Amino acid sequence: MAEKRGMFADQGLSVELIYTRGGGAALQALVGGAVDYAATSLDAQLQAFKNGAPIQRFAASGRLPLFALAVAPKARDRIRSLADLAGQTVGISALGNADHALLLYLLARAGVDATRIRFATLGPNLFEALRVGHVDAGMVQEPALSLLLERGGGVLVNFMDLEETRRYLGGSYAFMGVAVRGDEADDRLDEMRRLAGALQAALEFIHTASGKLIVATLPSELIAGGDRKQLEAIVERYRQSIYPRSTRLDLEAAARVVEAQQLAGLLPENLPWRELFLPKVLEGAAG
């Protein structure tokens, strides 16, 4: 949005967007000096920080994970609550991935014994396995969720809905945000604030523009082969929840991600994770 609507230019910035295969690759490019900033999930940044990457997160652009815990059409009658997952097979992308950590965190908060659940690792596309009933439930994204509901499936928790996430997790769950090389932060302070200002304008646009206009602003490559009307409806449904109104860091939301990763065994209990964050960039800054 910020690029296509000229919001970077409004801040006096000339920005080139480089697409990578996942957050890990983006952060490797950042650490290696190939890019100046990396926009990734907090999950990826925490893992890089744990492994010694000299990075700092200074701005947020997403406050919810893009997952929902869906139920297969064949299992909808017998799985109506989280407790009903005991003894069932639940699909995830891979052990230790963001969806797995989030699911373990959800089960722990709900008092459900995760050891009584069989986890099936199926890669990023769980739709077909759920549709035909190879698994009983699974962590899916959109448009897989909408397609499953159309075919008689169900949903236990939709983390793309802010009120549901607050009810089940106690608040928002930090997701996308921008990181910089830590040793360059002081020299880039003004640039980082202008970059955050452009992202702030993009967030405001997303909150106020129509779903049709938002989808029309997306690069054509992101919607090639997809159902444009369906995507417009998905954007309308979730934009108010997924996107914050401010780029300022939310450490309470970040703490939930840290707790989830620690519960999944991905982060040590004594990791000084707050050192990853650089809230001073936007403290006192306009917007």
Side-chain angles (χ1 to χ4, degrees):
M1 298 297 111
E3 180 192 39
K4 294 293 185 180
R5 307 296 300 186
M7 295 160 183
F8 289 131
D10 290 344
Q11 293 286 340
L13 298 173
S14 177
V15 174
E16 179 185 8
L17 299 181
I18 305 296
Y19 295 95
T20 66
R21 294 183 63 85
L27 291 166
Q28 286 177 2
L30 175 64
V31 172
V35 298
D36 298 308
Y37 302 96
T40 76
S41 70
L42 178 55
D43 298 81
Q45 290 171 7
L46 282 167
Q47 288 302 304
F49 179 74
K50 178 194 71 172
N51 293 326
I55 61 171
Q56 289 193 287
R57 180 182 176 101
F58 67 92
S61 57
R63 63 182 173 187
L64 294 180
L66 305 180
F67 295 105
L69 178 53
V71 178
K74 292 181 179 179
R76 189 172 182 181
D77 289 340
R78 69 175 187 275
I79 300 179
R80 297 181 177 274
S81 69
L82 292 171
D84 293 336
L85 291 174
Q88 307 301 313
T89 301
V90 179
I92 55 175
S93 61
L95 295 174
N97 274 7
D99 57 336
H100 181 221
L102 176 61
L103 179 55
L104 291 177
Y105 184 51
L106 169 67
L107 295 172
R109 287 187 62 95
V112 177
D113 185 357
T115 64
R116 299 187 60 199
I117 296 172
R118 296 184 296 272
F119 292 104
T121 56
L122 302 172
N125 188 0
L126 276 67
F127 171 72
E128 194 63 20
L130 282 162
R131 185 188 69 80
V132 301
H134 289 165
V135 293
D136 304 300
M139 296 288 279
V140 301
Q141 298 180 303
E142 288 285 15
L145 177 61
S146 294
L147 294 172
L148 278 170
L149 294 178
E150 289 174 1
R151 288 158 174 77
V155 59
L156 294 179
V157 183
N158 187 347
F159 293 109
M160 292 173 279
D161 182 283
L162 183 57
E163 290 307 312
E164 282 200 38
T165 305
R166 285 172 173 164
R167 182 163 66 251
Y168 284 97
L169 300 184
S172 55
Y173 188 92
F175 194 54
M176 297 300 292
V178 187
V180 66
R181 286 183 290 276
D183 61 356
E184 297 180 5
D186 287 342
D187 292 336
R188 291 183 176 272
L189 192 58
D190 176 68
E191 183 178 82
M192 292 158 68
R193 285 175 173 160
R194 287 186 286 132
L195 183 63
L199 295 177
Q200 178 86 31
L203 290 171
E204 293 170 358
F205 173 78
I206 290 170
H207 274 272
T208 56
S210 67
K212 185 175 182 178
L213 179 57
I214 292 171
V215 171
T217 306
L218 292 172
S220 59
E221 295 86 352
L222 294 183
I223 56 177
D227 185 327
R228 182 179 289 268
K229 291 295 184 183
Q230 183 184 62
L231 181 56
E232 291 172 2
I234 289 171
V235 168
E236 287 281 6
R237 178 179 179 186
Y238 296 121
R239 61 180 174 154
Q240 302 291 341
S241 288
I242 290 174
Y243 298 101
R245 289 187 174 272
S246 170
T247 54
R248 295 179 188 274
L249 299 175
D250 183 344
L251 294 187
E252 288 186 8
R256 296 184 183 93
V257 182
V258 171
E259 187 177 350
Q261 291 213 357
Q262 289 173 337
L263 185 66
L266 302 174
L267 291 179
E269 292 291 334
N270 61 351
L271 182 74
W273 61 268
R274 290 178 181 271
E275 295 178 6
L276 169 64
F277 295 85
L278 197 63
K280 73 173 186 179
V281 173
L282 300 183
E283 288 177 354

